[in-house]
Amino acid sequence: MEFSIRVATLEDCRDMARMIAELAEYEKVPDQVKITQRDLEQDGFSKNPFFQAIIAEVPEQHRSKEGHCKVGYALYFFAYSSWKGRSVYMEDLYVMSEYRGKGIGKALMSKIAQLGLAAGCKQLNFAVPNWNKPSVDFSLRQGCWNVTSDLGYHCMRCEGPALESLARGEAKH
Amino acid sequence: MPDGMKISHEELERDGFSQNPFFHCLVAEVPPQHRTKEGYTLVGYALYFYTYSTWEGRSLYMEDFYVMPEFRGKGIGKALISNVARIGKEHQCVRLNFSVLSWNTPAINFYLNKGAQDLTTSDGWHCFRFDREALDKLAEEAVKQ
């Protein structure tokens, strides 16, 4: 199937919001998404964007039954490794279910690699839940390795009341 | 892991202190009377950068957090991490993410005591990586596309 990969624009935020919701549904947590189309517009397309995005598009004749031609996206940002330097982090990679198995996911990932290398990055990192076997297998097939299994790194997070409390901790010092 | 570090201080200068920095850094400093035997007064640091969650929005990732061993147990680590959290809050960040090695029990407990969650243990999240060679190979596919 013919498709193209290009850098996302402000006008793509509506479809990105739609696909973000679809991805959350696929990851079994549809209620978790708090980000709106407006947030994506402000956070991704202002002077100091928090993220970059690329879109996978198919021609009109292959549009989905709901009429969508934007059938996949990848959202990433620049990160840093204090050992290796500039790196890129892929936060989301998604292809609508009826368009999978056609090389679109791989093409999105490859484009991020290309853009990352052009910006002087030496690593591409991302996270996958280990129960998501299709995604884990797909990732390993592309040539990456599992930092958690191989080195024992655990992903940690502080949010909500714990983050508030941590932020106030400085005042007690 | 002493062989792991491949970047120079020139790279840190370029990447952290130019117009669009790749990272930000806080340092912990002691007055000259408490300097180390080698003469250092910078005794700790926290390196972080801004990230994005498509579910929750603006976030922070703390890449490094370190206090020299002879200065631990004095609240310096806590002050560093609290300031990172405070700065995140000022920038409307809703999450602070970081990684810890599974064998580093003191660090894991330090963070769990502060209310952090271990997403690898609780939700099965694993970090994957493409290193330079594999990244080059992946990028070649994009050019062919």
Side-chain angles (χ1 to χ4, degrees):
Chain A
M1 178 187 285
E2 204 192 315
F3 62 89
S4 63
I5 306 288
R6 60 165 176 79
V7 173
T9 63
L10 189 68
E11 290 68 38
D12 293 318
C13 289
R14 188 168 164 196
D15 283 276
M16 271 168 49
R18 167 182 61 83
M19 289 191 276
I20 286 167
E22 290 173 14
L23 178 54
E25 184 80 46
Y26 172 77
E27 289 186 346
K28 311 174 190 178
V29 281
D31 309 323
Q32 298 267 11
V33 181
K34 311 282 187 293
I35 288 298
T36 61
Q37 174 185 336
R38 183 97 187 88
D39 293 320
L40 292 172
E41 289 167 0
Q42 276 184 335
D43 296 335
F45 298 89
S46 59
K47 187 172 178 286
N48 294 311
F50 276 76
F51 67 85
Q52 319 284 325
I54 52 176
I55 302 286
E57 226 169 354
V58 296
E60 276 291 333
Q61 65 266 30
H62 293 305
R63 68 184 178 278
S64 71
K65 56 186 189 317
E66 300 90 359
H68 301 303
C69 289
K70 296 171 197 179
V71 301
Y73 78 97
L75 189 142
Y76 67 98
F77 43 79
F78 293 105
Y80 209 72
S81 153
S82 49
W83 290 1
K84 301 271 169 72
R86 297 179 182 188
S87 67
V88 61
Y89 189 88
M90 184 172 68
E91 172 69 18
D92 277 6
L93 173 68
Y94 174 74
V95 178
M96 289 169 67
S97 56
E98 55 269 48
Y99 295 90
R100 290 175 201 159
K102 302 180 195 313
I104 297 178
K106 166 119 194 238
L108 283 165
M109 210 180 228
S110 297
K111 188 69 182 173
I112 291 187
Q114 189 192 33
L115 292 167
L117 283 167
C121 296
K122 304 186 194 104
Q123 270 182 8
L124 164 59
N125 293 302
F126 56 100
V128 185
N130 64 351
W131 51 255
N132 188 342
K133 203 156 183 327
S135 293
V136 170
D137 290 345
F138 167 80
S139 301
L140 293 173
R141 274 201 304 276
Q142 310 316 315
C144 61
W145 55 284
N146 188 332
V147 175
T148 297
S149 297
D150 292 6
L151 293 183
Y153 274 102
H154 280 221
C155 312
M156 309 286 286
R157 174 178 301 158
C158 229
E159 61 185 348
L163 187 60
E164 299 277 336
S165 168
L166 193 63
R168 279 194 306 271
E170 170 265 337
K172 287 191 226 153
H173 168 63
Chain B
M1 294 187 200
D3 304 322
M5 187 152 176
K6 301 273 189 289
I7 64 170
S8 61
H9 78 262
E10 286 93 351
E11 265 181 88
L12 290 170
E13 285 170 7
R14 181 198 64 187
D15 295 336
F17 299 90
S18 59
Q19 208 203 6
N20 294 310
F22 275 74
F23 67 85
H24 303 273
C25 195
L26 296 178
V27 293
E29 213 166 3
V30 295
Q33 64 266 32
H34 294 303
R35 67 184 178 280
T36 71
K37 57 185 194 305
E38 301 90 354
Y40 301 131
T41 53
L42 288 189
V43 300
Y45 76 102
L47 191 150
Y48 65 95
F49 46 83
Y50 294 99
T51 64
Y52 204 72
S53 154
T54 43
W55 294 358
E56 303 257 359
R58 301 175 181 193
S59 307
L60 281 177
Y61 187 87
M62 187 170 67
E63 166 70 13
D64 271 10
F65 167 50
Y66 175 76
V67 178
M68 291 172 72
E70 56 268 49
F71 293 90
R72 291 178 199 164
K74 302 180 195 311
I76 295 177
K78 180 169 174 194
L80 278 166
I81 196 176
S82 294
N83 275 280
V84 172
R86 179 185 57 80
I87 289 168
K89 196 156 179 255
E90 286 167 11
H91 287 84
Q92 290 98 53
C93 294
V94 293
R95 281 181 176 172
L96 169 58
N97 295 307
F98 50 100
S99 313
V100 188
L101 286 161
S102 57
W103 52 253
N104 194 346
T105 321
I108 294 190
N109 289 334
F110 172 85
Y111 295 125
L112 292 176
N113 283 336
K114 304 250 170 310
Q117 312 154 53
D118 178 343
L119 300 170
T120 296
T121 299
S122 63
D123 294 0
W125 283 97
H126 280 219
C127 314
F128 284 73
R129 175 175 301 161
F130 284 93
D131 284 315
R132 188 54 199 260
E133 224 178 272
L135 194 60
D136 282 337
K137 195 153 174 286
L138 188 63
E140 273 166 34
E141 305 286 323
V143 176
K144 282 187 215 148
Q145 230 260 315

